[in-house]
Amino acid sequence: MTDPETLSVTIVDGYVDEPAHFGVPPYISTYPRYAAGALVDAGVPRDQITYHTIDRLRDQPDYWRDVDEADLMIYLGGMTVPGKYVGGTPAEPDEVRKLAWTATGTSLMGGPVKFGVGDENAGATETERQDLDFDFVAKGDVEAAVHDLVDSGLEGFNNRMRDLDEVSRWAQQGAFIVEQHPNHPAHLICELETSRGCAYRCSFCTEPLYGNPEFRPPPTVVGEVDALSDYGVKHFRIGRQADILAYGGDGEAPNPDAVRQLYSGIREVAPDLETLHLDNMNPITIVNWPEKSREGIRIIAEHNTPGDTAAFGLESADPVVQEENNLNVTAEECFEAVRIVNEAAGWRPGEDPADAPTFGDGAPRRLPKLLPGINLLHGLKGEREETYERNRAFLQRVYDEGYMLRRINIRQVMAFDGTDMSDTGAEIAHDHKQLFKRYKKRVREEIDNPMLERVAPPGTVLPDVHLEYHQDGTTFGRQLGTYPLLVGVPGERELGRTIDVAVVDHGYRSVTGVPYPLDLNAASMNELTAIPGIGDSTAGDIVVNRPYESIADADLGTAFDLSQFVTTRSLESAD
C-alpha cells in the first residue's frame, strides 16, 4: 500500500469543452479543482500536488519533469463539442499519449475524453473510446476515481459517480489549485457547476449520458465561490448545467427561489467579484413556464454583470431535423423565448429595466445585461438543403423584429458512442461541407454584422479588455465572460494589460475599439482615424494643432458626437 502522505501528484489540464462545461483558458473547469479536492480528502498533502496546463508544458518543457517524476499523473481533458479558441489550445491525442509515455509513475486519464477521441478536435468528426496508453481510464467520475485510487494505495478503483456530499466537499478543498494556473489571479474565470445531466435526449448530445439532472444545493455552490474568492478569484461563470432556469427544481420547471438563493448568496460572499455570467438556458423551459421564467431571468439580470449570454440550443429550425433528432424546441418556440429574454433582461446599466430591449441612439453605451445566444448544429439526421435556409430565415426574423442575439454559434456535429448520432456519424456533415461554408459566410455577412452593431453600437464602452495577442499591427483582446467580444485596438500595445475600450467599428464576430477615453493630445493617427467621422486629413490636423485644452477647442467639425470617445488631459501631462 502506498501511503497518501508520501505521494507526489501531477495534474495536467488538457482542457474540456462539453455542451454544458467549458475549461479552455482563461477558463478553468471544475475537473482539476475537484480532482485536487479529492486528493486532499484522500490524504495527499496540498504541497505535494502540482497542476499544469497543456500550454504550460508546451511553452516550458522543463515542467515535463513533473510528469515524469510524479508517483501519480492525472490527465484531464476531452472535447465533445468543436470550437475555436484564443486563450489556449486543447491537447491533441498524440500529446495525451506522450503524457502517458513520459509518466514513470501511475497514470490516470479522465473527463469527457472518456466519451471518445477523434483524430483532431474539430467538427464533422467521428470518435472512438481509447485508453491512449494510460494505466487507468476513469469511465465514471474522474474525481471519484482519483479519490478511490489513492485510497486503494494506487491499486485500482471501481468506476462510479460521486455523490453530492463528495462534490460539495471536494469543490471547496480543491479551490487552492487555482493559484497554480498560469492566468491566476487577474485573468482567470472559474466555471461553476450547479447540476449536470439533462431531462431531454437530443440525438447528438453527451450531457444526457450523465443521467437526469441532479442539483447542488445553493449553499454548496456559494461555499465554493467563497473558497475560490479566498484564493483571489474574481471572475465566475455558472456554466455547468443544461438549464439555469431549472436549477433546484424537478429538472424541467423553473424554480426562481433557488435561482435567487444562488445569485444573492454568491454576491454576498464575493461582493468584489468582477464577472458573474452564465451559459445554458433551455428555451423550451421559457415557453412552457413563461411567468416563472421571466422571474428567474429578472433575478439573474439583477445580480449578474453586463454582457452575459444565455445559450439557447435551437440546433435546427427545420421541423424534419427536429423530429429525427428528438430536439425539444421548435423555431417558433425559440423565437418566443428570444423575445422574453430580450424583454426581461435586455436592458443596459444606467436605464430602467422596464425599457428593455434597448438599442440605437438613445441607449446607454454599455452592453445589455443578458441576451440569448443561438446554437445551430449541422450534420444532424434528416438535414437537407432547405435546413440551411430555414436556419438563416429564423435568424433574419429575430433581427427584423427588433430583438438582439449576443452571438450565433454555427458548428458541425461530432458523433460519440452512446448518442443516437453514433450510427449516422459525420457522413451528412461531410456531404454538406461546401453548403455549410456558403451558408455560414452568408449568416456572418447578413446577420452577424448588423446584429453586432445593434448590440454594441459605436461608443459602447467595454471595461477591462485583456490584451492577448498581436496581428498585422493590431492588438487583440477580450473581456472575461461568456462568449466575450474579440476587440481589435490599433497599434501594438503591451500584452497582458487591461484597458477600457470604446467600440468604433464592427466585423462579423469582432469589433474595433480605441482606448477609452482617448486623449486628443496623445492619440496616434491610427487611433484617431478609427473614430467615425475622422479621416486622414482631420486626424492630421488634430496632430499638427495639438495640444488642446478641451474637445471644443479642437473644433473638429464632425457630425458625430466625439465626446463618446475622446477627452483632453491637462496640458501639463500631454505629450
Side-chain angles (χ1 to χ4, degrees):
M1 287 281 290
T2 303
D3 184 352
E5 291 191 359
T6 68
L7 277 182
S8 65
V9 183
T10 295
I11 298 171
V12 177
D13 189 349
Y15 312 144
V16 301
D17 192 352
E18 301 181 82
H21 199 177
F22 191 55
V24 181
Y27 284 83
I28 181 172
S29 74
T30 65
Y31 289 110
R33 289 152 32 208
Y34 292 0
L39 288 167
V40 171
D41 200 37
V44 180
R46 289 183 181 182
D47 60 5
Q48 290 168 207
I49 302 171
T50 300
Y51 167 80
H52 292 308
T53 65
I54 189 66
D55 281 310
R56 176 183 272 162
L57 295 182
R58 292 175 182 132
D59 296 340
Q60 298 172 275
D62 286 351
Y63 283 122
W64 279 88
R65 68 176 180 271
D66 293 328
V67 176
D68 176 19
E69 297 173 0
D71 298 315
L72 172 62
M73 191 277 290
I74 302 165
Y75 170 75
L76 305 167
M79 320 300 287
T80 62
V81 294
K84 294 183 178 179
Y85 312 102
V86 174
T89 303
E92 293 288 354
D94 286 346
E95 292 180 303
V96 182
R97 287 190 182 90
K98 180 181 176 183
L99 288 166
W101 297 339
T102 302
T104 54
T106 302
S107 60
L108 167 67
M109 178 174 71
V113 68
K114 69 184 180 184
F115 294 126
V117 179
D119 293 332
E120 58 179 339
N121 299 318
T125 57
E126 299 177 17
T127 66
E128 61 179 350
R129 290 186 169 96
Q130 299 181 34
D131 65 12
L132 297 175
D133 297 330
F134 276 69
D135 297 326
F136 295 102
V137 177
K139 297 176 182 176
D141 281 328
V142 64
E143 54 267 35
V146 166
H147 178 275
D148 295 352
L149 181 61
V150 171
D151 195 51
S152 75
L154 302 186
E155 295 297 321
F157 55 87
N158 293 319
N159 286 300
R160 67 176 180 91
M161 310 301 279
R162 36 80 166 171
D163 61 36
L164 281 175
D165 288 339
E166 287 176 322
V167 71
S168 299
R169 192 165 66 245
W170 297 341
Q172 294 190 40
Q173 291 175 316
F176 74 94
I177 208 71
V178 298
E179 291 190 314
Q180 298 186 43
H181 195 287
N183 288 41
H184 181 272
H187 192 52
L188 185 66
I189 181 166
C190 286
E191 188 87 324
L192 299 175
E193 174 188 324
T194 66
S195 69
R196 60 179 186 175
C198 187
Y200 304 98
R201 297 293 183 267
C202 300
S203 68
F204 60 91
C205 188
T206 56
E207 191 60 24
L209 300 180
Y210 289 104
N212 290 322
E214 181 181 49
F215 300 98
R216 294 177 62 196
T220 69
V221 182
V222 171
E224 180 182 2
V225 171
D226 195 10
L228 290 165
S229 296
D230 288 343
Y231 289 101
V233 176
K234 292 183 179 293
H235 305 274
F236 304 92
R237 186 175 83 153
I238 305 170
R240 181 69 178 101
Q241 71 276 314
D243 181 7
I244 186 61
L245 292 178
Y247 173 64
D250 62 4
E252 296 184 45
N255 185 343
D257 288 340
V259 172
R260 183 180 289 106
Q261 290 179 50
L262 175 68
Y263 272 83
S264 62
I266 289 173
R267 280 292 193 173
E268 184 175 346
V269 300
D272 298 325
L273 66 78
E274 296 176 11
T275 304
L276 181 57
H277 280 186
L278 62 90
D279 192 7
N280 295 305
M281 185 181 290
N282 199 329
I284 198 62
T285 305
I286 300 172
V287 173
N288 288 342
W289 294 276
E291 292 312 310
K292 283 190 173 183
S293 294
R294 278 183 184 270
E295 183 180 355
I297 293 164
R298 284 194 292 264
I299 290 167
I300 292 168
E302 177 186 347
H303 292 89
N304 72 352
T305 53
D308 202 356
T309 306
F312 281 5
L314 171 60
E315 314 306 351
S316 180
D318 186 344
V320 172
V321 177
Q322 292 165 5
E323 177 69 24
E324 292 200 26
N325 293 275
N326 201 31
L327 305 184
N328 61 50
V329 65
T330 67
E332 190 63 37
E333 289 168 334
C334 190
F335 181 85
E336 176 66 8
V338 167
R339 181 182 69 82
I340 289 174
V341 173
N342 270 258
E343 292 175 353
W347 53 277
R348 302 169 192 262
E351 67 183 358
D352 188 340
D355 293 336
T358 55
F359 52 86
D361 292 339
R365 287 310 194 250
R366 289 293 301 277
L367 291 176
K369 290 302 292 294
L370 175 68
L371 292 176
I374 296 295
N375 294 337
L376 293 169
L377 185 60
H378 289 273
L380 295 173
K381 292 182 289 185
E383 182 176 282
R384 50 201 173 137
E385 188 167 350
E386 182 180 337
T387 303
Y388 291 84
E389 179 53 32
R390 284 181 175 270
N391 287 351
R392 192 206 60 79
F394 169 83
L395 299 171
Q396 189 67 57
R397 180 189 176 193
V398 171
Y399 182 82
D400 290 345
E401 297 203 20
Y403 299 111
M404 292 182 286
L405 299 174
R406 171 55 197 84
R407 70 98 177 91
I408 301 165
N409 189 11
I410 301 172
R411 54 197 172 91
Q412 288 186 296
V413 70
M414 298 177 76
F416 288 90
D417 287 344
T419 68
D420 290 346
M421 276 300 297
S422 60
D423 293 335
T424 304
E427 181 179 347
I428 296 172
H430 286 303
D431 289 346
H432 292 173
K433 200 80 170 180
Q434 294 306 312
L435 180 60
F436 175 79
K437 288 181 178 180
R438 291 194 301 271
Y439 144 87
K440 189 173 182 179
K441 183 174 184 292
R442 186 179 178 190
V443 169
R444 297 301 183 225
E445 292 173 348
E446 297 180 4
I447 298 167
D448 269 310
N449 182 261
M451 183 68 78
L452 186 54
E453 187 166 0
R454 177 177 289 178
V455 172
T460 297
V461 176
L462 306 176
D464 299 322
V465 173
H466 183 87
L467 303 180
E468 295 180 274
Y469 66 96
H470 298 137
Q471 182 176 312
D472 299 329
T474 299
T475 303
F476 288 89
R478 299 172 299 170
Q479 296 174 296
L480 282 175
T482 298
Y483 310 109
L485 282 171
L486 183 63
V487 184
V489 181
E492 292 197 352
R493 299 175 175 274
E494 180 185 350
L495 301 182
R497 297 176 53 231
T498 59
I499 62 171
D500 296 345
V501 169
V503 175
V504 296
D505 200 5
H506 305 80
Y508 301 149
R509 289 162 64 83
S510 64
V511 297
T512 300
V514 294
Y516 176 82
L518 187 65
D519 181 14
L520 276 183
N521 290 326
S524 70
M525 284 285 291
N526 284 341
E527 290 168 340
L528 290 169
T529 55
I531 297 174
I534 296 183
D536 289 341
S537 176
T538 302
D541 291 341
I542 291 172
V543 171
V544 168
N545 294 317
R546 290 196 294 215
Y548 305 99
E549 292 185 357
S550 68
I551 298 173
D553 185 41
D555 190 25
L556 301 177
T558 59
F560 205 86
D561 179 12
L562 292 179
S563 65
Q564 297 180 63
F565 304 99
V566 300
T567 187
T568 52
R569 294 179 188 156
S570 64
L571 298 182
E572 290 80 8
S573 62
D575 292 338

